[in-house]
Every structure is written in structure tokens, then in C-alpha cells.
Amino acid sequence: MSLWALLNDSWNVVFEPSKEAKEKAEAFIRNLYPEGTRVVGVNISAGSRARYWGHENFRKLINWLEKANLHYILICAKDDLDLASQIVEEKYISCSESFEVFGAMIQKVDLLFTPDTSAVHLASASHVPVFGLYVRESEGYKNWNPYKSEYEWIINPQLITETGFDELSDKFEQFVQRVLFY
């Protein structure tokens, strides 16, 4: 094995939220799901509203999770609370002004669905599997993927909203089966 491969194998992404942030995330999940089960995190926030997938698509994703008997939380930045409240009941929304709590929540889920690369990196720090929804970057550039975490993604050449839930549901279901039910 080359020196580069040895070094690369030992590297990892690190994010260590405070004890308080971790406790807030744990309490939120425990209060919502006291039976202690697997939880899918659905992040709706991204660097711009251009990467917002749309109410209807997120609602279809949530409906699919409910039909599959999977628990979920909707994760968002404070600026996106208005969008989140149009998708699910408030009790399912984890919305914090603190990036640290946002990151701690991502670390506590068993699988993350996201259109945002910052959430991908936070998930990667805890090896949380990620299903990403992206727009193709410019030619010659590579989309970000998690480092040392299982992932699957859908990359649309134009706009995120052009990929409807029905177009990714089979791929998402296969990923869920693979990472949550081995």
C-alpha cells in the first residue's frame, strides 16, 4: 500500500458539537420517539433557495417514510422554518439558530436526506449514510460526496425541482433497505 493510501485511510472529517448541543439533539429525538428507533433526517436547508426541492416533493418523501413505518425529523435552518411548517407538523421540525445544534441533530440520525453539501460533511463526520439531491456542477467539477460514509445521490443537470420524488423513489428505497435494514 502506498504512503498516500495509508495517510488517506487514517484521515477523517471531524465535527465535535458541545455537550449542550448533543443533549438538545438527543432530547428532541427522544421526546418525539421515546421508543428509541431508527430515524431518517430530512434536511430542507441549503446555501440558497435555488436548492429547495419544493413542498410537494418533500411531502411525498415524508409520506413514503410514513408508509414504510420509518420515523423522521425535518431539519432546517431558522430562515427556513416557514418552508418546513408547510411540509410537516411543527413537532417533527428541528430548527435551530445554532449551527452546532443543526450539526448535532445530523449526527443523531441514522440516515440523512439532503440537498446541501454542508449537511453532507456534518453527516460524514459521524459516518451517517447520506442520500443527496444535487444539481450538476460546471463541467470539469465534481459534486461533493461524503467522506467515508455510505451515500447515494441523484444529480440533475438543471434544477433540483426538475427531479420529482417519483423519479428518485426506487433509488431511495434501495438505499434505505441497504443502509437501515442491511
Side-chain angles (χ1 to χ4, degrees), residues 107-123:
Q107 289 184 343
K108 296 297 177 188
V109 299
D110 299 291
L111 184 151
L112 179 67
F113 182 100
T114 185
D116 185 58
T117 57
S118 66
V120 166
H121 300 309
L122 291 169

